[in-house]
Amino acid sequence: MNKENKGKKLKIGSFILLMFLSLYIPSVLHWITERNINTDYLRNGIIEDSINADGIIIRDEKVYNSPFDGKYIPEVGEGEKVAAGGRIATVMTKSSLELLDELENYNDRIIKAQIEKNKNREFFSEDIQRLDNEIGKKIKVIVNETNNNSHFKMEQLKSDIDRLIQKKAEIYGGQSTADTHISQLKTERDMLQQKIKNNTRGEVSESPGIVSYVIDGLEKELNPSVIDKLTVEYLESLEIQAPDVNANIRDVSTGQPYVKVIDNMKCYIAISVKADKAEMFEVGMKPRVRIYDIDREIRGKIEYISQEEKGKVVIVIGIDRCIDETSGLRKINIDLIKNSYEGLKVPLKSLMDVDLKNNKAKIILVKANYATIRDVEIVAASDEYAIIKSADDSGKRGISLYDTYIINPLNIEEGQIINK
């Protein structure tokens, strides 16, 4: 009897526990989901069909070698244009550089001597005028005494005139000495200039283009003739040194390159990318190229796509702009953009029943604190985001800018109260 009572009590207890759990657990789950409903506003954004990759710049570059050991002085700024026959740099031996200081010293001495000469001329001009006046007076006296036949006074007057002329000659002699000194300085300076000229070589561009003083040793190796021979392995094995743009006087060695002129009409960017990512591009396409290193976006043209190599291919893009801005660069980071889509942008996880094949999905909006499910059309999608628009053209069940939507629609039902 006691066993039967115990059995009944156990059944009743189990039934009550089961009823409690069936009522309590859904309430708890509903409470949890209510507290974790995150919402946001529909905003405009952009999604791109693009590839990001590091690119190697390929150019037609004419390199100039130094005629001797020394230093070079840039005549044109890095990335600036030069005409055919234009001066691009001056190379000087180290001894010539030392002579430049001496030449400057000569110029200073000549200027100071000329200034001093001019000061003396101004200082003695009144004395010379006074002497000329006194000589004139003495000559008049001589004329008068000649008429009076006074030979004694004549001798004295001649002596006075000779003394005045001697003083005048001394003044002019001093100025003549200054002229001789200046002339000698100029002669020595000219000889020094010729000596410097003999040990200086001016480099002239053979063709028009863009000047660069950044030499990385790949100028002959990476030229347009190798484009259709590029491989993924070769491109990824290249070691590119960081650019060292320096417009000051720099050391050069005999026979070594120190300046180059780049063809400013066109250059190329080669990238290595996964083959499946490259499928959206074809030779002849004109995608946009975003160059992060110079913060510029330009239009390019697909010139070459290699055969697949270990799951990757080489894509070469031709560009005819920004060649001057990238003159000192060999490796750059780019986005190769096929298409851009602009519209209402949401995280892909915010959509339900996503059908990328037919470009369909659903989104949950919040209207008057109630959840409402709307059909949408997927205009474009990436791995994380989608551009969407209303599937209902009537506008009654559509979506609009700044509508509130639920970011994580899991377990949300139509008509559910949403406390924002």
Side-chain angles (χ1 to χ4, degrees), residues 269-322:
I269 304 171
I271 60 175
S272 170
V273 298
K274 290 182 178 179
D276 58 344
K277 293 286 186 181
E279 288 178 354
M280 70 176 86
F281 296 103
E282 295 177 359
V283 173
M285 280 186 175
K286 295 182 178 180
R288 299 201 316 278
V289 182
R290 182 180 297 121
I291 306 175
Y292 286 100
D293 304 75
I294 58 174
D295 194 26
R296 293 287 303 277
E297 188 174 301
I298 59 176
R299 184 69 66 176
K301 181 181 179 182
I302 305 294
E303 303 282 354
Y304 172 74
I305 299 178
S306 72
Q307 295 295 318
E308 184 176 337
E309 179 185 342
K310 296 181 179 179
K312 292 184 177 182
V313 298
V314 173
I315 299 179
V316 178
I317 311 101
I319 60 173
D320 57 8
R321 296 173 58 194
C322 297

Side-chain angles (χ1 to χ4, degrees), residues 145 148-159:
E145 291 300 324
N148 295 329
N149 295 319
S150 176
H151 296 290
F152 174 75
K153 288 184 178 181
M154 288 279 291
E155 292 295 329
Q156 183 63 41
L157 288 169
K158 287 181 180 180
S159 177

Side-chain angles (χ1 to χ4, degrees), residues 33-206:
T33 56
E34 280 287 320
R35 289 177 59 87
N36 288 277
I37 296 175
N38 294 321
T39 62
D40 198 358
Y41 296 104
L42 288 177
R43 298 182 178 86
N44 280 326
I46 296 175
I47 287 180
E48 297 174 336
D49 291 335
S50 64
I51 298 174
N52 177 265
D54 287 333
I56 303 300
I57 298 179
I58 299 171
R59 297 175 281 231
D60 185 4
E61 300 168 304
K62 169 62 178 176
V63 176
Y64 294 85
N65 298 329
S66 176
F68 36 66
D69 292 345
K71 293 181 179 291
Y72 80 84
I73 303 171
E75 301 282 353
V76 181
E78 173 71 32
E80 292 184 1
K81 292 182 179 180
V82 65
R87 185 97 163 222
I88 53 179
T90 298
V91 182
M92 308 179 73
T93 62
K94 292 182 180 179
S95 60
S96 293
L97 288 169
E98 295 171 357
L99 293 177
L100 283 177
D101 292 335
E102 190 175 343
L103 180 63
E104 186 64 27
N105 181 44
Y106 268 103
N107 286 327
D108 288 342
R109 289 167 64 188
I110 290 171
I111 291 171
K112 288 178 181 178
Q114 288 174 332
I115 292 173
E116 190 64 29
K117 174 189 171 183
N118 291 334
K119 285 182 179 179
N120 289 337
R121 178 179 295 169
E122 293 175 2
F123 180 79
F124 289 110
S125 61
E126 293 183 3
D127 290 341
I128 292 172
Q129 184 63 42
R130 186 171 60 254
L131 290 171
D132 285 339
N133 291 337
E134 290 186 19
I135 291 170
K137 289 178 182 180
K138 296 291 184 182
I139 290 173
K140 287 181 180 180
V141 173
I142 288 176
V143 172
N144 291 332
E145 291 300 324
T146 300
N147 294 332
N148 295 329
N149 295 319
S150 176
H151 296 290
F152 174 75
K153 288 184 178 181
M154 288 279 291
E155 292 295 329
Q156 183 63 41
L157 288 169
K158 287 181 180 180
S159 177
D160 291 342
I161 289 172
D162 289 341
R163 179 173 54 79
L164 293 172
I165 291 173
Q166 182 63 34
K167 285 184 178 181
K168 188 176 177 180
E170 289 176 359
I171 293 173
Y172 279 116
Q175 292 183 355
S176 178
T177 302
D179 286 336
T180 302
H181 176 62
I182 292 172
S183 179
Q184 179 63 29
L185 287 175
K186 288 182 177 180
T187 300
E188 293 175 3
R189 181 196 62 186
D190 293 343
M191 292 173 62
L192 189 59
Q193 284 178 326
Q194 186 60 43
K195 190 175 181 180
I196 293 172
K197 186 178 180 180
N198 293 337
N199 292 284
T200 301
R201 182 74 57 84
E203 200 69 75
V204 174
S205 177
E206 296 178 5

Side-chain angles (χ1 to χ4, degrees), residues 151-410:
H151 296 290
F152 174 75
K153 288 184 178 181
M154 288 279 291
E155 292 295 329
Q156 183 63 41
L157 288 169
K158 287 181 180 180
S159 177
D160 291 342
I161 289 172
D162 289 341
R163 179 173 54 79
L164 293 172
I165 291 173
Q166 182 63 34
K167 285 184 178 181
K168 188 176 177 180
E170 289 176 359
I171 293 173
Y172 279 116
Q175 292 183 355
S176 178
T177 302
D179 286 336
T180 302
H181 176 62
I182 292 172
S183 179
Q184 179 63 29
L185 287 175
K186 288 182 177 180
T187 300
E188 293 175 3
R189 181 196 62 186
D190 293 343
M191 292 173 62
L192 189 59
Q193 284 178 326
Q194 186 60 43
K195 190 175 181 180
I196 293 172
K197 186 178 180 180
N198 293 337
N199 292 284
T200 301
R201 182 74 57 84
E203 200 69 75
V204 174
S205 177
E206 296 178 5
S207 58
I210 294 169
V211 177
S212 177
Y213 303 97
V214 181
I215 306 296
D216 57 15
L218 296 171
E219 286 77 16
K220 292 183 178 180
E221 188 174 332
L222 290 175
N223 65 77
S225 67
V226 305
I227 286 176
D228 59 356
K229 303 177 184 67
L230 292 174
T231 65
V232 172
E233 182 180 2
Y234 169 77
L235 211 58
E236 294 184 349
S237 66
L238 284 174
E239 294 184 3
I240 310 297
Q241 301 295 325
D244 179 21
V245 181
N246 186 353
N248 298 319
I249 296 177
R250 299 176 61 185
D251 293 332
V252 289
S253 301
T254 304
Q256 294 301 308
Y258 72 101
V259 64
K260 61 189 179 185
V261 176
I262 302 167
D263 178 9
N264 65 341
M265 300 302 292
K266 194 171 187 179
C267 73
Y268 305 86
I269 304 171
I271 60 175
S272 170
V273 298
K274 290 182 178 179
D276 58 344
K277 293 286 186 181
E279 288 178 354
M280 70 176 86
F281 296 103
E282 295 177 359
V283 173
M285 280 186 175
K286 295 182 178 180
R288 299 201 316 278
V289 182
R290 182 180 297 121
I291 306 175
Y292 286 100
D293 304 75
I294 58 174
D295 194 26
R296 293 287 303 277
E297 188 174 301
I298 59 176
R299 184 69 66 176
K301 181 181 179 182
I302 305 294
E303 303 282 354
Y304 172 74
I305 299 178
S306 72
Q307 295 295 318
E308 184 176 337
E309 179 185 342
K310 296 181 179 179
K312 292 184 177 182
V313 298
V314 173
I315 299 179
V316 178
I317 311 101
I319 60 173
D320 57 8
R321 296 173 58 194
C322 297
I323 301 174
D324 54 344
E325 296 175 66
T326 57
S327 65
L329 302 173
R330 180 68 71 180
K331 186 176 182 179
I332 56 177
N333 184 259
I334 69 167
D335 282 339
L336 189 61
I337 308 162
K338 179 184 178 183
N339 293 308
S340 291
Y341 305 92
E342 185 172 1
L344 299 176
K345 182 179 178 180
V346 297
L348 205 56
K349 68 179 183 179
S350 299
L351 302 177
M352 302 185 304
D353 301 336
V354 176
D355 181 0
L356 292 176
K357 184 177 180 180
N358 295 303
N359 298 323
K360 294 180 180 181
K362 298 180 185 296
I363 192 170
I364 300 181
L365 302 184
V366 179
K367 297 286 188 179
N369 290 339
Y370 287 92
T372 176
I373 300 175
R374 303 290 172 89
D375 291 323
V376 296
E377 181 180 335
I378 299 175
V379 178
S382 66
D383 293 338
E384 297 183 16
Y385 294 94
I387 299 291
I388 61 174
K389 67 177 184 178
S390 298
D392 181 10
D393 294 333
S394 68
K396 294 179 181 179
R397 295 284 297 174
I399 59 173
S400 302
L401 185 66
Y402 302 129
D403 274 347
T404 301
Y405 70 95
I406 294 175
I407 295 175
N408 188 352
L410 185 65

